[in-house]
Amino acid sequence: MITKDMTLADVVKAHPNTIGFLNGLHLDYCCGGHEAISIAIREKGMDVEKFLAELNEVAARPTAAKDVHADIESFKDLKVTEMLDDLEATHHVTDRRLKADLEEHFAKEEQLEDEHTGAGDVIKEIQQLTNNFTPPEDACPTFRHTYATMEALFDDIFIHIFKENSIAFPEYAEQQ
């Protein structure tokens, strides 16, 4: 059972099928996911008990066929060197589309975990500016496709940062 004292990162580690739910609420489980749920939810102005009830319901559901659950579960079982190879092949290639602010991030990433916060802040600003990727009603198909593509890319980046901050980096630190 998920409790208010757990962190969002802990929840995603244990229940990767909650990622879609958390993304839908724009809750940070990757960069800032290390605060207790009670704090993170209260800061968002949400009711903690209601959130926990919904989150536990989502966590209890069977994993959907195209969910990231299996990916994260198998990722946790890799050796650190295999984790880094997987991150490069799975996320870095796609994520390089956000070049302006993220190129420096990728260069420093193995040394500076704090760099993720900056990347997350850029994404959150874009989400706010685009009203969470909600195109205007009169938007053309290209505009709509662009927003959908950006949203999918950003969801992938959040999963990427989560894997590094909450799984790969702690595993690496433990081996040192």
Side-chain angles (χ1 to χ4, degrees):
M1 176 165 189
I2 301 168
T3 68
K4 66 181 181 179
D5 298 320
M6 295 173 73
T7 68
L8 291 176
D10 290 336
V11 170
V12 171
K13 270 193 232 178
H15 307 282
N17 61 322
T18 61
I19 288 174
F21 174 73
L22 297 174
N23 283 346
L25 294 172
H26 307 289
L27 291 169
D28 186 355
Y29 56 85
C30 60
C31 306
H34 300 286
E35 286 186 327
I37 289 174
S38 59
I39 295 169
I41 299 306
R42 204 172 299 122
E43 286 176 356
K44 282 284 214 178
M46 298 169 65
D47 179 86
V48 176
E49 295 306 318
K50 180 180 177 197
F51 171 79
L52 283 172
E54 291 174 1
L55 184 61
N56 275 296
E57 182 181 315
V58 171
R61 289 183 197 148
T63 303
K66 193 176 175 174
D67 206 316
V68 295
H69 183 15
D71 176 52
I72 290 178
E73 287 303 316
S74 62
F75 184 82
K76 288 193 281 189
D77 293 334
L78 298 175
K79 295 177 185 170
V80 173
T81 54
E82 294 169 331
M83 286 180 183
L84 297 176
D85 290 342
D86 180 84
L87 288 164
E88 177 68 27
T90 307
H91 300 286
H92 287 196
V93 173
T94 303
D95 297 349
R96 290 198 194 282
R97 294 177 200 167
L98 281 177
K99 287 186 176 187
D101 287 305
L102 295 179
E103 274 186 336
E104 189 173 338
H105 158 76
F106 288 125
K108 295 178 181 178
E109 174 170 70
E110 284 72 28
Q111 299 169 3
L112 300 171
E113 187 174 339
D114 291 340
E115 191 71 20
H116 286 153
T117 302
D121 290 344
V122 169
I123 290 171
K124 289 172 190 171
E125 183 178 357
I126 292 171
Q127 286 174 321
Q128 183 180 16
L129 291 171
T130 62
N131 192 24
N132 295 314
F133 307 106
T134 305
E137 288 191 31
D138 63 343
C140 69
T142 302
F143 194 102
R144 292 180 184 283
H145 179 72
T146 300
Y147 268 35
T149 301
M150 284 187 351
E151 184 172 25
L153 175 63
F154 290 179
D155 286 349
D156 180 70
I157 290 170
F158 284 136
I159 293 167
H160 160 206
I161 293 172
F162 166 77
K163 283 178 172 178
E164 289 179 349
N165 285 0
S166 299
I167 301 172
F169 291 166
E171 182 71 25
Y172 176 77
E174 196 174 287
Q175 292 181 9
Q176 297 305 311

